[in-house]
Amino acid sequence: MEWRRGGYEISTDPERLDVERVWRFLRTSYWAANVPRDVVERSIAGSLVFGLYAPDGAQAGFARVVTDGVTFGWLADVFVLEPHRGQGLGVWLVECVLDHLREVPKLILGTADAHGLYARFGFEQPDPTRMMTRVALPEEVYGPLEEGS
Ligand SMILES: CC(C)(COP(=O)(O)OP(=O)(O)OC[C@H]1O[C@@H](n2cnc3c(N)ncnc32)[C@H](O)[C@@H]1OP(=O)(O)O)[C@@H](O)C(=O)NCCC(=O)NCCS
């Protein structure tokens, strides 16, 4: 699938991804700090991916969904690279994800501070009496983020 807007493009083709660029962002993110490149590669292989591309074809953002395609999906690793932020691309990226998964009834995600981005699409706080999670801190799994990386 592909979507186009204002010269930007979103594609679900994993072959188009600049995996190096995706990894270089994710390893500095608060949710996957110091993630090894092979973990990113394997997570991409096991996910439905959404690559956001700038008019020159460069990677401008990314999102992925871990899903069975029918009942459930976990939206993860959503980002727009700094130079491309603040022009509606993050909202468009989530819009395209939801368009593609319109027949999947249950979607979840985790976020530290972007609740407002997702609330506009109907995401809300889960009922704590019905949800349980087990989430290790990235530094427990991948070690501390190295200085200057
Ligand atoms: C979050 C992010 C993807 C937004 O990308 P963007 O292209 O700049 O976003 P948009 O221009 O589409 O605007 C996002 C909208 O969500 C809102 N928003 C809510 N929480 C936000 C947050 N933490 N960061 C950015 N925008 C946020 C903005 O105010 C904006 O609303 P508006 O259109 O009413 O002004 C981008 O800032 C990013 O990559 N941040 C670092 C990674 C990250 O935190 N990802 C989300 C993990 S859950």
Side-chain angles (χ1 to χ4, degrees), residues 52-114:
L52 169 68
Y53 304 95
D56 66 359
Q59 195 77 50
F62 176 76
R64 69 183 175 96
V65 181
V66 184
T67 183
D68 58 13
V70 188
T71 66
F72 169 79
W74 169 277
L75 175 58
D77 293 345
V78 178
F79 68 83
V80 171
L81 292 174
E82 193 90 49
H84 306 281
R85 288 184 192 163
Q87 45 178 320
L89 293 169
V91 169
W92 183 46
L93 184 56
V94 177
E95 246 169 46
C96 293
V97 169
L98 297 182
D99 176 40
H100 200 63
L101 294 172
R102 57 191 170 279
E103 288 174 9
V104 177
K106 193 177 289 175
L107 297 175
I108 64 170
L109 61 84
T111 184
D113 60 8

Side-chain angles (χ1 to χ4, degrees), residues 9 24 41 47 66 71 82 86 92 96 105 118 120 133 143 149:
E9 203 177 331
R24 277 197 284 121
E41 283 168 6
S47 302
V66 184
T71 66
E82 193 90 49
W92 183 46
C96 293
Y118 303 107
R120 64 201 291 160
T133 58
S149 59

Side-chain angles (χ1 to χ4, degrees), residues 5-149:
R5 181 185 283 185
Y8 282 86
E9 203 177 331
I10 291 172
S11 165
T12 55
D13 181 1
E15 297 293 319
R16 282 192 61 183
L17 289 173
D18 180 348
V19 177
E20 174 75 16
R21 194 66 198 87
V22 171
W23 170 61
R24 277 197 284 121
F25 177 82
L26 288 176
R27 68 197 292 267
T28 66
S29 69
Y30 69 81
W31 65 87
N34 226 14
V35 62
R37 187 181 156 130
D38 75 291
V39 170
V40 170
E41 283 168 6
R42 286 186 283 139
S43 71
I44 286 170
S47 302
L48 177 61
V49 295
F50 295 79
L52 169 68
Y53 304 95
D56 66 359
Q59 195 77 50
F62 176 76
R64 69 183 175 96
V65 181
V66 184
T67 183
D68 58 13
V70 188
T71 66
F72 169 79
W74 169 277
L75 175 58
D77 293 345
V78 178
F79 68 83
V80 171
L81 292 174
E82 193 90 49
H84 306 281
R85 288 184 192 163
Q87 45 178 320
L89 293 169
V91 169
W92 183 46
L93 184 56
V94 177
E95 246 169 46
C96 293
V97 169
L98 297 182
D99 176 40
H100 200 63
L101 294 172
R102 57 191 170 279
E103 288 174 9
V104 177
K106 193 177 289 175
L107 297 175
I108 64 170
L109 61 84
T111 184
D113 60 8
H115 305 76
L117 169 59
Y118 303 107
R120 64 201 291 160
F121 295 106
F123 282 88
E124 48 189 30
Q125 301 288 337
D127 178 345
T129 65
R130 287 171 164 259
M131 292 282 289
M132 293 178 79
T133 58
R134 182 176 183 277
V135 186
L137 295 172
E139 55 266 36
E140 289 172 335
V141 183
Y142 309 129
L145 189 59
E146 287 149 29
E147 207 58 41
S149 59

